[in-house]
Amino acid sequence: MSGPRYLGFDTLSLHAGQRPDAQTGSRAAPIYQTTSFVFDDAERASGLFGQMRAGYVYSRVANPTVAVLEERVAALEGGVGAVATASGMAAIHLALATLTGQGSHIVSSRALYGGTHNLLAYTLPRFGISTTLVDPRDPAAFAAAIRPDTKLIYAETVGNPRGEVLDIPAVAEVAHAAGIPLVIDATLTTPWLSQPLALGADIVVHSLTKFIGGHGVAIGGAVVDGGRFDWEASGRFPQITDRDMGLNELDFAEDFGPAAFIMRARLEGLRDFGGCLSPGNAFYLLQGLETLPLRMRQHVSNAQAIAEFLAANPAVSQVTHAGLPTHPDYALAQRLMPRGAGAVFSFEIKGGRAAGRKFIDALQLFSHLANVGDAKSLVIHPASTTHARLDAAALERAGISEGLVRLSIGLEDPQDLIDDLARALGVSQK
Amino acid sequence: MEISYQGATTFIQTAGFAIDADKPSVCFVHGAGMDHAVWTLFVRWFARNGYNALAVDLRGHGRSGGEALTSVEAMADWLLGLLSTLGVKAVGLAGHSMGSLIALQAAATGGAAVRKLALLGFGYPMAVGAPLLDAARANDPVAVDMMTIWGHDFGAQIGGHQVPGLSISTISKRRFEAARPGVLFADLNACHTYAGGAEAAAALSCPVSLILGERDRMTAVRGAREFAKALPKASIEIIPGCGHGMMEEKPEQTHKALVKALVV
């Protein structure tokens, strides 16, 4: 039976969260550059502080410009709500801090962004939160690592730099069988390539700094709540299912139903940790988000062409892009992200560390820097930059070879990018 | 709070407060396929402003057990019995959509026990179209889509929730998705077949406030206006730019209308 249809992705990327400003008619989302909001009267002030009325109090907890971005990201992910944060790492911290506490345990994929690995492996243990890292390609390994004190499973849609594709439905099944949520970092795929909530995940985190912004001018992050996880049935989250005397006597599951998690993340996490996004950065990120569908089409199209070029180049020994049939996760990527497996991937250059350095120095169009997801193409050689202090054995333990090069493919003419790579690969082999 | 009532666990949201016989009481009744959480902001306000504030989960809904009841009359009797069990002697009653029919019927049969009545998203008769009834009968997810999209003004899909960062339509969608199989159909069919509205209107003696969405696509304002002519003490509050789901779409305006309607 067919029914009415929801607004499409391209429409939501332009409109979600913002109707023309009621007072001025402003079509663009206005920048509410203010710390705080005047109360009409004492009664309304009391109502806002006590979560009895709807509205704004202080921009650390909520701001109208930031709220447009939050709603837009939530709409594109199919979530019940979102909280925007000062960075992607702040988003990860907010999600984890809302779900865990002293003595909690996390099961995580070991194919992680370096900052996330550091948080899980070194920083969170200082606060009594431990993590077991497992092979992202083995759902049974996630299941085997779950303990009575485990609060969540954490993983990325596509690993960086090796391009491991997570079987989200399979890992979600493992998580839900244990009564814990699956938290997914979907930064590299964006909701245009993969909507983890629709595949069974419960919470999504983003670095908005990357493809969602696209312009490389603003740092930001977001946490999105799918609204389907049954916190009461789980029994592992008293901070969500019991009345909290420190938070206006709220019982988040009882009071907010499907929005329980995201309301706690905002009311506790932004209030107490303060990792809020500025309205100015929210405005910049909204400008990028408006063209996300258009840009992602070009990103993945360019990335596919360049991956195929590299795979055929004699100076390259391996390309780890899940859009290539040689990648171990090719079939999974075709099933879970048919629009493309992203635009960040790596390849192995013949000749090791020295060849890698020569290659980087010979590039003219690619920008050599430590970021991904920009509209411009980016490159980094981990063995000579982020991991330069590691010897070959230590690099191998980190899953990085001496000749590994990571690319983030931008929106340039793909033939120009191929020409730049071809020239630099030639230089690297001399 | 949870109590055992008529052989089933019955949940009543009170914002953590115990019922105090010395306080006035207000009670909120949700619509088809919904639960108590649509009323949270209002329950919290009344509870902290000197009232016993109760938002019930109807039988078979939300956190309440048992089979969903199948007629508005049965739900109204269930509600009056519950209030009596809780020791609530006089109450201001608010209902949304199906809940407004239940509240109307309960006010008519409960006599002086209901001293104020607020009918939100109200229409009578509350006929439900065959495509929606058929989809709900089949537990087809399309019924959830119909309720979500038609249950709000078009702008709800765009957003602009007054509670920052929340999605009006996706929250409502999740609530409908969470309804147990058969519940949405039982509710919609109860609305569709309810024929006691005129008789109930004639029996009312309490003040009635109709709180309506200007752009309601499920229970149009025109029908409610016509019905109000049969009520002895009726007032009408139209919320501009609002569809059927005013508690999510326009919580501030709904708050003001409810305070006006129920405060004693």
Side-chain angles (χ1 to χ4, degrees):
Chain A
M1 188 180 291
S2 65
R5 56 181 292 279
Y6 298 98
L7 295 175
F9 191 98
D10 292 11
T11 304
L12 292 173
S13 69
L14 286 160
H15 291 279
Q18 196 243 342
R19 296 183 234 186
D21 183 63
Q23 292 204 329
T24 65
S26 171
R27 179 59 274 188
I31 304 174
Y32 287 88
Q33 192 69 44
T34 181
T35 59
S36 28
F37 302 85
V38 174
F39 309 122
D40 295 341
D41 51 41
E43 198 284 316
R44 177 158 164 77
S46 166
L48 287 166
F49 273 92
Q51 276 77 53
M52 299 175 261
R53 305 278 294 270
Y56 295 90
V57 173
Y58 191 63
S59 284
R60 188 175 81 242
V61 177
N63 171 282
T65 312
V66 177
V68 174
L69 177 67
E70 291 168 335
E71 274 202 59
R72 195 164 300 177
V73 174
L76 295 176
E77 286 289 6
V80 295
V83 172
T85 56
S87 70
M89 285 307 300
I92 294 168
H93 174 263
L94 179 62
L96 300 186
T98 302
L99 296 174
T100 63
Q102 175 100 21
S104 294
H105 174 252
I106 295 167
V107 177
S108 173
S109 158
R110 65 170 168 246
L112 293 171
Y113 161 61
T116 309
H117 179 267
N118 211 72
L119 175 71
L120 296 177
Y122 301 107
T123 308
L124 287 182
R126 289 204 294 111
F127 299 91
I129 300 163
S130 61
T131 298
T132 301
L133 298 171
V134 301
D135 180 354
R137 291 192 172 114
D138 184 2
F142 285 97
I146 293 172
R147 313 189 314 213
D149 55 354
T150 303
K151 301 294 186 184
L152 64 116
I153 290 178
Y154 186 90
E156 299 178 4
T157 48
V158 175
N160 168 17
R162 293 288 179 184
E164 299 93 336
V165 177
L166 188 77
D167 189 343
I168 292 176
V171 178
E173 196 175 324
V174 168
H176 296 160
I180 57 175
L182 173 61
V183 181
I184 293 291
D185 182 338
T187 297
L188 292 188
T189 42
T190 81
W192 197 78
L193 293 177
S194 171
Q195 292 177 307
L197 300 176
L199 296 173
D202 302 291
I203 293 161
V204 170
V205 293
H206 279 287
S207 167
L208 303 178
T209 314
K210 310 302 189 303
F211 291 102
I212 284 182
H215 35 48
V217 304
I219 301 277
V223 183
V224 186
D225 183 356
R228 287 198 175 99
F229 188 77
D230 190 338
W231 305 101
E232 292 284 357
S234 165
R236 294 187 188 218
F237 301 94
Q239 70 270 40
I240 293 176
T241 58
D242 291 354
R243 202 162 293 285
D244 191 328
M245 305 314 280
L247 272 166
N248 274 319
E249 299 164 20
L250 286 163
D251 176 329
F252 286 88
E254 177 181 311
D255 292 340
F256 299 113
F261 166 81
I262 204 68
M263 288 301 290
R264 184 166 183 101
R266 179 181 301 283
L267 296 178
E268 179 194 52
L270 289 186
R271 183 195 69 177
D272 294 352
F273 302 129
C276 60
L277 182 69
S278 74
N281 273 0
F283 178 82
Y284 287 129
L285 292 165
L286 280 167
Q287 307 317 301
L289 196 44
E290 289 194 351
T291 57
L292 180 71
L294 296 171
R295 289 185 289 109
M296 289 309 293
R297 286 184 187 102
Q298 188 70 21
H299 276 296
V300 295
S301 165
N302 281 3
Q304 186 69 29
I306 288 163
E308 289 169 5
F309 157 76
L310 290 170
N313 190 287
V316 173
S317 60
Q318 188 182 13
V319 182
T320 53
H321 185 272
L324 296 177
T326 51
H327 192 279
D329 299 326
Y330 174 75
L332 186 60
Q334 293 291 305
R335 177 161 61 90
L336 298 186
M337 44 188 83
R339 285 173 160 172
V344 176
F345 63 97
S346 62
F347 67 94
E348 299 275 349
I349 195 164
K350 290 179 182 171
R353 199 181 300 234
R357 292 179 72 102
K358 283 190 210 170
F359 168 77
I360 292 284
D361 288 342
L363 286 168
Q364 295 177 320
L365 196 51
F366 279 78
S367 300
H368 183 205
L369 54 78
N371 190 22
V372 295
D374 199 297
K376 303 171 185 73
S377 290
L378 314 174
V379 64
I380 198 159
H381 177 224
S384 62
T385 54
T386 54
H387 297 69
R389 286 178 297 168
L390 303 186
D391 61 21
L395 278 176
E396 190 177 341
R397 284 197 296 276
I400 294 168
S401 66
E402 290 193 306
L404 185 86
V405 173
R406 186 188 72 192
L407 300 176
S408 174
I409 302 301
L411 306 177
E412 299 91 340
D413 185 315
Q415 192 56 51
D416 293 337
L417 295 174
I418 287 170
D419 290 347
D420 197 31
L421 291 167
R423 182 174 53 250
L425 284 169
V427 171
S428 75
Q429 302 300 302
K430 290 178 181 166
Chain B
M1 69 170 70
E2 277 185 3
I3 66 167
S4 179
Y5 169 63
Q6 292 191 355
T9 298
T10 301
F11 178 81
I12 308 111
Q13 183 188 32
T14 64
F17 288 80
I19 294 173
D20 181 342
D22 293 333
K23 291 181 179 176
S25 297
V26 291
C27 178
F28 301 91
V29 188
H30 61 77
M34 288 281 180
D35 65 28
H36 68 273
V38 296
W39 300 109
T40 288
L41 289 173
F42 318 111
V43 169
R44 288 178 63 78
W45 189 90
F46 277 96
R48 290 183 170 212
N49 282 277
Y51 291 78
N52 296 312
L54 319 169
V56 300
D57 275 350
L58 292 167
R59 190 177 169 89
H61 295 71
R63 298 178 176 207
S64 289
E67 288 287 313
L69 299 169
T70 56
S71 74
V72 168
E73 291 86 344
M75 294 183 216
D77 289 345
W78 176 93
L79 177 66
L80 289 170
L82 176 65
L83 292 172
S84 175
T85 301
L86 294 170
V88 174
K89 293 185 176 60
V91 67
L93 202 51
H96 173 249
S97 194
M98 176 184 78
S100 71
L101 298 181
I102 298 167
L104 171 69
Q105 181 67 21
T109 54
V114 179
R115 58 184 174 192
K116 290 198 171 207
L117 187 60
L119 306 177
L120 296 85
F122 174 81
Y124 181 80
M126 202 175 279
V128 179
L132 176 54
L133 271 179
D134 290 346
R137 185 185 287 111
N139 291 308
D140 189 326
V142 165
V144 168
D145 298 337
M146 292 173 175
M147 293 293 287
T148 302
I149 293 174
W150 297 337
H152 301 90
D153 171 46
F154 170 80
Q157 277 200 68
I158 298 292
H161 204 305
Q162 292 174 355
V163 177
L166 297 185
S167 164
I168 298 166
S169 60
T170 310
I171 286 179
S172 294
K173 185 179 181 189
R174 291 289 182 273
R175 289 200 172 107
F176 290 125
E177 287 173 346
R180 278 157 250 175
V183 167
L184 185 59
F185 173 71
D187 289 352
L188 293 174
N189 197 51
C191 295
H192 188 67
T193 57
Y194 177 59
E199 191 179 338
L204 287 183
S205 56
C206 66
V208 183
S209 301
L210 289 95
I211 302 170
L212 311 170
E214 178 195 28
R215 298 180 188 163
D216 193 326
R217 293 189 273 183
M218 285 197 151
T219 51
V221 168
R222 191 172 47 194
R225 277 190 195 278
E226 197 59 34
F227 186 83
K229 292 176 183 171
L231 299 171
K233 296 182 217 170
S235 65
I236 298 178
E237 189 87 34
I238 308 285
I239 301 179
C242 185
H244 189 62
M246 56 273 298
M247 295 91 78
E248 292 285 356
E249 290 182 66
K250 302 283 183 188
E252 264 300 283
Q253 292 85 340
T254 304
H255 164 85
K256 288 173 183 167
L258 280 171
V259 168
K260 194 170 157 188
L262 297 178
V263 158
V264 291

